[in-house]
Amino acid sequence: MIHYDFSGQAAIVTGGTRGIGRAIAESFLAAGARVIATYVGNETAAAAFREANRAHAERLDVRKCDVTDYGQTEALFKALEQSCPAGIDILVNNSGIRRDSILGMMKPEDWRAVLDVNLNGTFNMTKLAVLAMMRKRYGRIVNITSPCAHFGFPGQANYAASKAGQIGLTRSVSKEVATRGITVNCVSPGFIGTDLIKDLPDKLRQQYLDQIPLKRFGNVDEVAACVLFLASKEAAYVTGTVLEVTGGL
Ligand code: NDP
């Protein structure tokens, strides 16, 4: 693993208690950051994450916060003004859901739910983070998108639209805040073995594997390593971009 030094910095990782988010949160902890890991409802995963990282308890804050609810995200940032008086340095918008179905069969509530978590959640958190980061004239925002944004896998119109929306938001905001020392980028993981894709039928799983030049799914640490790079001081000249972590897909 590449060793960055994030000591003295504070990082929020949404959906940071399991899957890719957990690996990102644990990588930041290992690199010395103070970490605020959020989740929405899976108390078992949150407790297991907290327990596994007991050694870093003084730098770890696990908070329940629904990113779709602007009031809850505002309350989170308000609370962090007390617990992180030096301000937030890093935001990773990692929370995400899928509700797959072909468009003709897609329930309007499934369309809205996916857009709400993946895109509106990114807006809520990014808006508040940008306001806080502008005050300290420093910040790193990393949005976790997906190759689906440009491939548009069938059955994922809602997911693809939300992930493409994140890329558009990233590019616009990166230009708005560039002179304030804030960078905004995306990491786009390919197929990564987490709960999110555990329901993929075997046949489809094999079809996807056949298309990946590296002939394997990625792992969460390979995504976390790329997020840490974009969140580092060393990545100061990288903004408005999408880093693909897809095995060449
Ligand atoms: P998981 O399903 O393993 O974890 C999703 C996380 O998001 C959980 O921590 C969950 O919280 C949180 N979450 C869901 N809804 C909300 C909400 N309303 N408010 C706050 N948090 C919420 O997903 P992955 O780790 O696989 O995915 C992480 C990100 O990576 C997502 O954005 C996903 O789209 C993206 N991605 C994943 C790929 C993959 O192959 N796995 C490929 C490409 C992109 P809780 O634990 O409480 O449910």
Side-chain angles (χ1 to χ4, degrees):
M1 173 183 280
I2 308 159
H3 291 286
Y4 291 105
D5 182 8
F6 285 95
S7 46
Q9 296 194 40
I12 303 177
V13 183
T14 70
T17 57
R18 65 189 171 93
I20 293 172
R22 175 174 172 163
I24 295 168
E26 290 179 340
S27 298
F28 277 126
L29 282 173
R34 176 178 175 74
V35 172
I36 301 95
T38 73
Y39 68 105
V40 69
N42 189 330
E43 302 290 348
T44 311
F49 167 74
R50 202 185 269 115
E51 178 57 25
N53 291 287
R54 229 170 11 158
H56 301 301
E58 78 292 350
R59 287 190 284 114
L60 177 59
D61 192 354
V62 180
R63 293 195 182 236
K64 193 167 181 170
C65 174
D66 183 344
V67 295
T68 69
D69 181 337
Y70 188 69
Q72 288 189 35
T73 57
E74 247 184 341
L76 172 71
F77 276 84
K78 194 98 206 125
L80 293 179
E81 282 174 16
Q82 307 296 318
S83 59
C84 287
I88 294 299
D89 301 280
I90 298 157
L91 166 66
V92 182
N93 283 306
N94 165 79
S95 294
I97 60 168
R98 284 173 46 222
R99 295 277 188 280
D100 294 0
S101 143
I102 54 167
L103 191 77
M105 305 296 285
M106 190 175 285
K107 294 183 188 136
E109 57 267 35
D110 287 343
W111 170 267
R112 281 195 292 268
V114 170
L115 269 289
D116 221 13
V117 177
N118 301 2
L119 186 55
N120 297 342
T122 299
F123 162 76
N124 291 341
M125 292 295 295
T126 302
K127 176 183 167 168
L128 295 161
V130 157
L131 291 174
M133 289 169 176
M134 286 210 303
R135 285 198 288 273
K136 63 189 299 186
R137 301 187 89 77
Y138 180 84
R140 297 279 183 265
I141 299 174
V142 182
N143 298 321
I144 309 298
T145 181
S146 161
C148 189
H150 57 263
F151 286 125
F153 299 125
Q156 294 198 321
N158 49 1
Y159 188 76
S162 71
K163 293 294 175 183
Q166 276 184 314
I167 295 174
L169 180 152
T170 298
R171 295 217 162 104
S172 284
V173 181
S174 70
K175 293 182 172 71
E176 292 173 9
V177 298
T179 58
R180 307 298 179 101
I182 304 169
T183 65
V184 192
N185 290 288
C186 288
V187 164
S188 179
F191 293 96
I192 311 293
T194 67
D195 293 347
L196 192 76
I197 62 163
K198 70 178 179 207
D199 62 342
L200 273 189
D202 287 344
K203 197 168 157 214
L204 195 55
R205 188 174 287 267
Q206 192 54 52
Q207 272 175 22
Y208 286 146
L209 271 173
D210 291 342
Q211 291 170 37
I212 301 169
L214 287 184
K215 298 294 167 213
R216 65 171 177 88
F217 285 176
N219 67 59
V220 292
D221 293 325
E222 290 169 322
V223 181
C226 294
V227 172
L228 262 66
F229 165 64
L230 290 172
S232 70
K233 288 189 171 151
E234 288 80 358
Y237 203 56
V238 185
T239 196
T241 194
V242 181
L243 177 51
E244 309 268 345
V245 193
T246 61
L249 193 67

